Amino acid sequence: MKLTLAWLKEHLETSAPLEEIAATLTRIGLEVESVADPAQAFKDFVVARIDTAAPHPNADRLKVCTVNTGKETLQVVCGAANARAGLVGVFAPAGSFVPGTAVHLKKTAIRGVESNGMMLSERELGLSETHEGIVELASAPPLGSPAADALGLADPVIEIAVTPNRGDCLGVRGIARDLAAAGRGRLKPLASKPVPGAYRSPIGVKLEFDYSALNACPYFVGRHIRGLKNGESPDWLKARLNAIGLRPISALVDITNFVTCDLARPLHVFDAAKIAGAIRARLARAGETLAALNGKTYVLDGEMTVIADDRSALGLGGVVGGESSGATLATTEVFVESAWFDPVRTAATGRKLEILSDARYRFERGVDPAFVKDGIEIATRLILDLCGGEPSEIVVAGAEPSWRRTLALRPERVRTLAGLDLAPAETEKILTSLGFQIAREGKTFAVVPPSWRPDIFGEACLVEEIARIHGYDKIPTVPLPRASYLPMPALNESQRRRGTARRALAGRGLVEAVTLSFLSSSHATLFGGGQESLRLVNPISADLDTMRPSLLPNLIAAAARNAARGLADAALFEVGPRYEGSGPEDQSFVAAGVRAGSFAERSWAAPARPVDVFDAKADALGLLALLDVPVPRLQILKPAPACFHPGRSGVLALGPKTPFAAFGEIDPRVLKAMDAKGPMVGFEVFLDAIPPAKEGRGGARSILKLSPFQPVSRDFAFVVDESVAAESLVRAALGADKTLIVGAVVFDVFAGEGLPAGKKSVAIGVTLQPAERTLTEAEIEAVAGKIVAEVGRATGAVLRT
Amino acid sequence: MPPPAADLERLKAELTAEIAAAGDADAIEKIRVAALGRKGTVTELMKTLGALSPDERRVRGALLNALKDEIAALLEARSAGLADRALDARLASESVDVTLPPRPERIGRIHPVSQTMDEVIAILGDIGFAVAEGPDIEDDWYNFTALNIPPDHPARQEHDTFYLPGERESPGGRARMVLRTHTSPVQIRTMMRAKPPLRIIVPGRTYRCDSDATHSPMFHQVEGLAIDETTHMGHLKGCLIEFCRAYFGIEDLPVRFRASYFPFTEPSAEVDIGCTRVGGEFRIGHGDDWLEILGCGMVNPRVLKNCGIDPARYQGFAFGLGLERIAMLKYGIPDLRTFYESDLRWLRHYGFAALAQPGLTGGLNP
């Protein structure tokens, strides 16, 4: 919403300076987005007259002028062709800044002749590109007066971000009223005396709605005016509209625009000669079309309100007028419409047809239902003033929609809700100044909000009005008392886990990324997603149209983008949501990471090693261990999700049902489809699948018993089928004697030379920990025998000889 | 009494000289055997003691024992000296160029969004706000209607909502699926599940179908909600002033509350912090300019009612702030869109060390 200071002062009697007005507006909820004061740039320029103009002695195209600035007469060298004695224009003295050319003027000599300033062109003023000659002021403003005034640019423009609840402030008067209530002046009375009608309107008005749609347009006031002459608007009106960015069109159109912006009262003017029969408001017929004033043709449906004559729709009520019945410069008789349209229906129509108009903007935010008649009287006066003509009596259909409601306000709520200790009389004064009517009923106020405030519906709204006008800055600040003096954790276990995952993975050398929750459906499909229910109806682009089924694709794409920038060895992770469906339970938190290229950068100490599946496995296991998962009990399940290399991937789980993590080399086909280079490995830890830590012991651990006896290590080299998992040998060895054996590690694996085809050698180191006494050699041998037997039984492995 | 044993003095002098001249462990051993071995010179002299008178034997025996000990000590010292020299020589030969870099390690970083989120939680957690969460995929009842934004409310248009196909049964009837446009639906979910007193903060992803220099289709918000029987706007001011000052680490940061409008709060306010903008340089703190930082207000009684909370008894405040925005302001990050580009150069520059966990004891400003 834009307005100018002078326009505001048409409604507000105030001596407050512009800065104070702007600050007050922002404070009371009418946030000032900008104040443009064109006069600022012209403050040094004055109206001046060229008294004499003589040819320059040393230059053909220059003239030596004497310029009268009202205060003094100065010599100025001027190059403009139109520079001549008697011309009144804009003078820039030495020392001023010329905005159009960004030059600081200095007293200087031009071709040997002294020059004390400059007569300016429109381009030099920064007003237009015109540089035909210097500005010639047609009217005769006093010499020495501010040039900004003479140019009609002295009026600062204020732009306000009006919140959607304040339809009343989409007119200058509403803004003036709020300012007056806030103590920045006095609201001037508004003259809207009825204009006597000279004849009966030849055009009648009807409301043709079913019972269910009565509210679409419950009130319609019209007036016929004949014998008028449309034409260009006067300067004051054009200047008003120009200042707020509206293009003047013709007096009739400009008047409706002016009243819309001045009083938040949209109007429409029909060319009465183009109306067939009576005007009626009704719902559109499905498929009915309207060629609108904006040059487009719309197909309407039965939910939209139209204004029609006997033949066809003439306009969309509260949204846009029709081309065929619009006022033109040839118009001599008009029918003026001031009606009230349902905000909800108006908004729906505007949205469906994608029409943004000043009328729609106001109707959907609520137009004053008690100002419908005033609107037509004010418009009539303006038309008669600017275009002449003779008005009919007004014609009315329907009745003013009821808006009067009484709300109870307990004055102490100002204190208990807003924290503001205000005397009831002060409360009453603020509400009254905003147009509320108040009756005291005991200790309670019975408050009737004004007709222009449909947004006020309860006690809290009234408290807000009082608090904002009095000033939020005057509310005493009170520390929020601590809820509890015992420190309670702000995070639940799931949230704490995510934090642990982040810090742990960053500690492992991965860099945290935050990637978008969506991706292209083709990428989603590669990772088991892409179902219809997770496709956005209105994506911002086709490559961001699906909710991600996994965090890996966006990380892979990020690694690929970094590789394209020369950073091939990306190690990235993300902790965030994935989406397996659209229900709340389908969203779960995952910690995922990718490593690309070499595990570490090239070094003198070791050759660069390409990342492999065990790097991803280490990341997953490292994180799981920090999340209190009993890592030694984890099993490796297959197959892993399809995005991984089928032979170099796995799933980590405690049982067959709930996978805790998946890891592996990314399938080269997936990389190719995503335009990414390998090798790349990745992992996902499904944080929400991990059961919560057991509660109840307050963190106490089990008793630790330490053995005083030396542990014993024995190594075994087994030969086994290549297909047998190394882990099964380890598990069998561990199971051979559960009290003595405390550890088993694979320390060598090889196949090939010296071994039969299809076989491999797996060497395991086993640690025995006696608890009661040192083991004898015979006892050790006995356990070793059990290990060989158990591993052989479980896996078919035999000791290598 | 025999004269002092000149022969022993001579022998000692000879052996001392030999030991001093010994160049390696072998030479030492040879001297030891020659002097103290079974057939060694000192050992042989010991054997002659038996032929002496008891008095002579005592005197000479003592001298011989002293000689033997001295020689043994000299041998020991020379041997240790030699070993030390040999080790010095070995260590000298083992030296490496320590200016070489160590084996490369990867250094991880924490994203500014996570760091900022941790900071916000640390501050508000201390005042008793617990973190609550809800789904990113919502329906329009939770996202709009329950928050007093009915279907045709103009505020809905300002939200640039992403839609997903279909509808679902929601507490207010059939509702369209949307990506949440703010974290406020979690207010609704929390109030429908739990009874006051309530103090929650809701950090999370939010979405609007808007993408340009200052908008990203995804961003993060933190929502706050405090509901009980007495919390009023003075508390709201106290809480948020404390938050702004703690977050920016400026004890007297100017904080301004001005009237605004949100359908879900009444009264509503926007909060500005003091700043200066001089010659393109922007600084938070004192100055003559203001910067909008968050929106807040007293929870609209209609919202409480929609959640089954009696507005005649309970009241409280809510606020919402953009996490990226406050991260950009505090850490001088110029462009919102860069947050999600995962450019390693950016992440390393604007990211945080793994162990720089913000907290009230260790500080919020790494």
Side-chain angles (χ1 to χ4, degrees):
Chain A
M1 170 74 192
K2 279 185 180 173
L3 68 160
T4 71
L5 185 61
W7 195 342
L8 178 69
K9 287 182 176 177
E10 296 282 331
H11 293 283
L12 185 72
E13 196 179 302
T14 185
S15 55
L18 176 62
E19 296 72 32
E20 199 178 312
I21 286 172
T24 305
L25 286 170
T26 293
R27 181 174 69 75
I28 63 177
L30 296 166
E31 187 183 356
V32 173
E33 292 199 304
S34 66
V35 176
D37 188 354
Q40 267 304 311
F42 301 155
K43 63 182 183 337
D44 294 333
F45 306 152
V46 294
V47 175
R49 186 180 64 225
I50 300 178
D51 282 345
T52 62
H56 191 291
N58 306 322
D60 289 347
R61 292 212 296 234
L62 296 180
K63 287 169 196 157
V64 181
C65 307
T66 52
V67 172
N68 183 347
T69 69
K71 273 198 311 201
E72 55 191 333
T73 302
L74 297 167
Q75 178 171 294
V76 173
V77 176
C78 184
N82 63 339
R84 62 183 188 278
L87 181 146
V88 177
V90 175
F91 173 68
S96 63
F97 178 76
V98 178
T101 51
V103 167
H104 283 281
L105 286 185
K106 274 183 280 194
K107 181 172 168 177
T108 183
I110 298 172
R111 296 268 181 115
V113 175
E114 185 185 289
S115 184
N116 296 290
M118 207 172 161
M119 295 296 285
L120 300 177
S121 70
E122 284 197 18
R123 193 173 76 189
E124 283 154 348
L125 281 162
L127 292 178
S128 75
E129 286 305 305
T130 303
H131 197 49
E132 305 289 297
I134 54 179
V135 169
E136 296 188 41
L137 296 167
S139 54
L143 298 186
S145 65
D149 289 346
L151 291 164
L153 293 168
D155 198 5
V157 179
I158 306 168
E159 181 160 18
I160 298 174
V162 176
T163 51
N165 58 324
R166 294 303 302 274
D168 63 312
C169 286
L170 296 174
V172 175
R173 186 166 182 80
I175 291 164
R177 184 186 297 114
D178 260 33
L179 277 170
R184 291 290 167 271
R186 195 180 64 85
L187 187 67
K188 293 181 184 173
L190 182 69
S192 70
K193 267 197 294 186
V195 180
Y199 59 98
R200 253 181 87 111
S201 169
I203 296 170
V205 173
K206 287 186 270 191
L207 301 178
E208 296 177 345
F209 293 99
D210 286 345
Y211 181 77
S212 63
L214 280 181
N215 192 43
C217 174
Y219 193 30
F220 192 122
V221 180
R223 167 173 269 151
H224 189 267
I225 303 176
R226 65 189 176 196
L228 54 77
K229 187 178 179 314
N230 195 12
E232 203 177 324
S233 291
D235 285 350
W236 71 265
L237 179 51
K238 285 195 290 185
R240 285 275 141 90
L241 297 180
N242 271 325
I244 62 166
L246 286 178
R247 195 167 51 90
I249 293 166
S250 69
L252 287 172
V253 177
D254 295 350
I255 287 166
T256 62
N257 285 337
F258 174 73
V259 175
T260 298
C261 298
D262 189 45
L263 300 166
R265 176 57 259 187
L267 303 164
H268 190 68
V269 175
F270 297 94
D271 187 330
K274 295 170 188 161
I275 294 173
I279 289 274
R280 78 279 325 266
R282 58 165 169 84
L283 293 184
R285 302 185 186 100
E288 196 170 0
T289 59
L290 175 74
L293 274 172
N294 59 14
K296 293 183 188 158
T297 297
Y298 296 96
V299 180
L300 314 180
D301 70 28
E303 296 297 315
M304 301 169 178
T305 305
V306 294
I307 309 301
D309 64 6
D310 287 353
R311 284 186 307 232
S312 62
L314 304 175
L316 272 164
V319 179
V320 71
E323 181 71 57
S324 67
S325 57
T328 67
L329 288 173
T331 300
T332 57
E333 55 176 314
V334 294
F335 187 79
V336 187
E337 163 207 314
S338 178
W340 195 88
F341 298 101
D342 174 27
V344 171
R345 195 179 291 273
T346 309
T349 301
R351 207 166 49 240
K352 261 188 269 185
L353 300 177
E354 296 179 352
I355 302 172
L356 284 170
S357 66
D358 286 336
R360 170 197 166 186
Y361 197 70
R362 284 166 178 77
F363 276 112
E364 69 184 11
R365 282 160 176 76
V367 162
D368 185 351
F371 199 72
V372 178
K373 264 190 192 163
D374 302 76
I376 212 150
E377 301 295 2
I378 287 166
T380 305
R381 257 178 219 290
L382 280 167
I383 293 172
L384 297 181
D385 283 354
L386 304 189
C387 308
E390 185 182 31
S392 79
E393 290 158 4
I394 58 170
V395 283
V396 176
E400 183 177 305
S402 90
W403 52 268
R404 188 173 289 273
R405 60 206 180 283
T406 305
L407 308 172
L409 171 67
R410 295 161 290 168
E412 74 268 19
R413 285 300 277 156
V414 178
R415 177 174 51 78
T416 58
L417 186 62
L420 201 51
D421 230 339
L422 223 54
E426 181 70 9
T427 295
E428 197 173 345
K429 187 176 147 233
I430 290 172
L431 287 176
T432 308
S433 66
L434 288 169
F436 291 77
Q437 295 162 29
I438 297 166
R440 292 210 188 201
E441 289 178 354
K443 282 189 170 172
T444 305
F445 291 172
V447 182
V448 178
S451 55
W452 57 83
R453 292 300 301 272
D455 58 309
I456 303 288
F457 56 83
E459 198 173 39
C461 307
L462 297 170
V463 171
E464 175 174 63
E465 291 304 300
I466 295 152
R468 80 179 172 91
I469 295 295
H470 186 73
Y472 286 178
D473 50 332
K474 298 203 184 86
I475 298 174
T477 297
V478 187
L480 187 66
R482 259 59 182 169
S484 156
Y485 287 93
L486 189 66
M488 298 304 283
L491 300 177
N492 65 28
E493 185 163 358
S494 158
Q495 294 150 358
R496 200 168 57 234
R497 264 184 195 159
R498 275 175 261 151
T500 303
R502 285 195 180 97
R503 305 264 163 203
L505 292 170
R508 295 185 62 83
L510 293 115
V511 174
E512 186 184 16
V514 174
T515 71
L516 299 180
S517 297
F518 13 70
L519 36 53
S520 72
S521 55
S522 64
H523 285 183
T525 312
L526 294 170
F527 293 81
Q531 61 264 49
E532 205 48 47
S533 66
L534 290 177
R535 293 252 187 114
L536 295 176
V537 173
N538 53 338
I540 54 164
S541 69
D543 57 353
L544 297 172
D545 68 347
T546 302
M547 299 306 287
R548 64 188 189 187
S550 158
L551 277 58
L552 288 173
N554 283 348
L555 289 172
I556 292 168
R561 282 199 304 275
N562 278 295
R565 291 185 204 108
L567 297 161
D569 301 342
L572 291 166
F573 79 94
E574 179 169 11
V575 177
R578 67 163 173 171
Y579 311 88
E580 293 171 287
S582 56
E585 65 289 347
D586 300 322
Q587 173 179 334
S588 59
F589 283 98
V590 178
V594 296
R595 290 182 188 263
S598 300
F599 180 76
E601 69 191 54
R602 200 156 69 133
S603 159
W604 62 271
R609 175 177 68 73
V611 292
D612 63 30
V613 58
F614 296 103
D615 296 321
K617 186 179 180 186
D619 287 331
L621 286 176
L623 178 53
L624 288 170
L626 276 170
L627 299 174
D628 292 328
V629 170
V631 165
R633 282 171 44 209
L634 284 173
Q635 298 166 359
I636 305 234
L637 305 181
K638 290 209 158 211
C643 62
F644 293 114
H645 184 307
R648 295 182 178 179
S649 59
V651 167
L652 292 161
L654 277 185
K657 280 199 187 133
T658 335
F660 287 179
F663 63 90
E665 234 179 82
I666 308 297
D667 190 311
R669 284 164 294 204
V670 170
L671 291 181
K672 186 155 182 272
M674 297 188 66
D675 224 359
K677 285 208 181 78
M680 211 183 286
V681 300
F683 67 90
E684 286 188 291
V685 173
F686 310 114
L687 298 171
D688 291 347
I690 300 167
K694 287 194 188 91
E695 285 183 36
R697 281 185 304 183
R701 319 288 171 93
S702 61
I703 294 287
L704 174 65
K705 289 183 193 136
L706 293 172
S707 168
F709 305 102
Q710 281 272 339
V712 180
S713 292
R714 280 289 180 277
D715 292 347
F716 305 86
F718 291 103
V719 174
V720 66
D721 283 353
E722 238 167 3
S723 61
V724 174
E727 196 189 18
S728 57
L729 276 75
V730 170
R731 284 195 191 279
L734 285 169
D737 187 325
K738 289 193 172 151
T739 47
L740 272 180
I741 299 174
V742 294
V745 291
V746 176
F747 66 88
D748 188 38
V749 178
F750 79 92
E753 204 179 331
L755 287 173
K759 297 281 185 188
K760 65 180 171 186
S761 162
V762 179
I764 298 175
V766 179
T767 306
L768 312 179
Q769 176 62 65
E772 279 142 24
R773 57 187 170 77
T774 306
L775 294 177
T776 65
E777 198 54 38
E779 283 167 328
I780 295 169
E781 281 308 314
V783 177
K786 280 206 274 185
I787 289 170
V788 172
E790 184 56 28
V791 171
R793 192 194 62 73
T795 68
V798 293
L799 266 192
R800 203 167 90 215
T801 46
Chain B
M1 291 286 288
D7 60 334
L8 297 189
E9 285 299 325
R10 208 169 39 248
L11 179 59
K12 183 181 159 189
E14 278 170 26
L15 286 171
T16 304
E18 273 179 52
I19 290 167
D24 56 27
D26 281 356
I28 297 279
E29 182 60 13
K30 266 187 200 143
I31 298 165
R32 195 190 62 76
V33 170
L36 307 179
R38 270 180 34 222
K39 296 253 164 76
T41 45
V42 177
T43 315
E44 289 299 329
L45 284 173
M46 288 285 197
K47 289 177 187 166
T48 64
L49 286 175
L52 298 179
S53 70
D55 282 352
E56 281 174 332
R57 193 186 309 150
R58 195 169 55 244
V59 172
R60 193 164 170 85
L63 287 169
L64 268 173
N65 272 328
L67 175 65
K68 186 179 154 195
D69 289 349
E70 263 179 88
I71 296 304
L74 282 171
L75 283 166
E76 184 62 28
R78 180 66 187 156
S79 175
L82 281 174
D84 218 30
R85 259 206 348 236
L87 190 58
D88 280 346
R90 200 188 95 208
L91 293 183
S93 75
E94 282 173 0
S95 64
V96 295
D97 178 2
V98 294
T99 65
L100 283 170
R103 281 169 196 81
E105 284 174 9
R106 293 215 165 268
I107 296 166
R109 299 296 271 174
I110 292 290
H111 195 282
V113 161
S114 299
Q115 187 77 10
T116 306
M117 206 179 270
D118 284 352
E119 291 175 33
V120 172
I121 294 170
I123 298 166
L124 293 168
D126 181 60
I127 318 177
F129 287 87
V131 175
E133 291 177 303
D136 297 7
I137 301 174
E138 271 293 1
D139 64 49
D140 64 5
W141 188 82
Y142 282 104
N143 195 72
F144 292 121
T145 314
L147 286 156
N148 196 34
I149 314 175
D152 287 287
H153 198 288
R156 273 208 194 188
Q157 273 89 74
E158 293 175 5
H159 273 235
D160 296 321
T161 313
F162 279 117
Y163 289 95
L164 287 160
E167 296 182 338
R168 74 175 171 212
E169 208 51 52
S170 205
R174 302 291 294 168
R176 280 185 83 179
M177 305 301 293
V178 302
L179 288 186
R180 66 179 180 191
T181 58
H182 46 187
T183 42
S184 307
V186 184
Q187 283 188 28
I188 304 300
R189 290 183 175 273
T190 303
M191 289 193 283
M192 291 181 81
R193 200 169 45 219
K195 290 293 141 219
L198 290 170
R199 278 188 197 178
I200 56 158
I201 40 175
V202 186
R205 294 180 172 220
T206 49
Y207 307 87
R208 306 224 178 154
C209 50
D210 200 352
S211 186
D212 59 36
T214 55
H215 295 89
S216 161
M218 183 189 91
F219 54 102
H220 293 75
Q221 279 190 348
V222 180
E223 185 90 1
L225 176 74
I227 302 288
D228 54 33
E229 295 184 14
T230 55
T231 290
H232 58 61
M233 256 186 119
H235 298 112
L236 166 64
K237 283 181 72 178
C239 175
L240 292 178
I241 290 173
E242 188 176 334
F243 169 77
C244 290
R245 291 180 176 169
Y247 175 75
F248 288 105
I250 302 174
E251 214 176 333
D252 53 355
L253 176 70
V255 182
R256 165 175 98 166
F257 288 72
R258 55 185 166 75
S260 188
Y261 169 75
F262 306 105
F264 30 91
T265 51
E266 189 99 77
S268 302
E270 274 179 342
V271 181
D272 300 334
I273 54 172
C275 66
T276 41
R277 294 182 178 94
V278 181
E281 202 198 344
F282 174 79
R283 215 183 243 145
I284 293 197
H286 296 271
D288 50 2
D289 213 342
W290 294 98
L291 182 78
E292 183 186 326
I293 186 138
L294 57 87
C296 61
M298 300 303 293
V299 176
N300 193 314
R302 287 183 173 179
V303 174
L304 294 174
K305 214 168 142 217
N306 288 341
C307 300
I309 289 179
D310 179 7
R313 181 170 168 200
Y314 293 108
Q315 62 182 43
F317 64 75
F319 61 87
L321 57 87
L323 208 58
E324 287 85 352
R325 180 167 171 76
I326 63 168
M328 288 165 77
L329 291 173
K330 182 166 176 177
Y331 296 112
I333 305 172
D335 187 346
L336 171 68
R337 289 169 304 179
T338 56
F339 277 73
Y340 313 106
E341 285 170 359
S342 309
D343 186 327
L344 277 167
R345 297 165 301 178
W346 188 95
L347 294 169
R348 286 183 187 134
H349 181 77
Y350 290 112
F352 295 84
L355 294 180
Q357 172 89 52
L360 295 183
T361 47
L364 295 165
N365 303 294

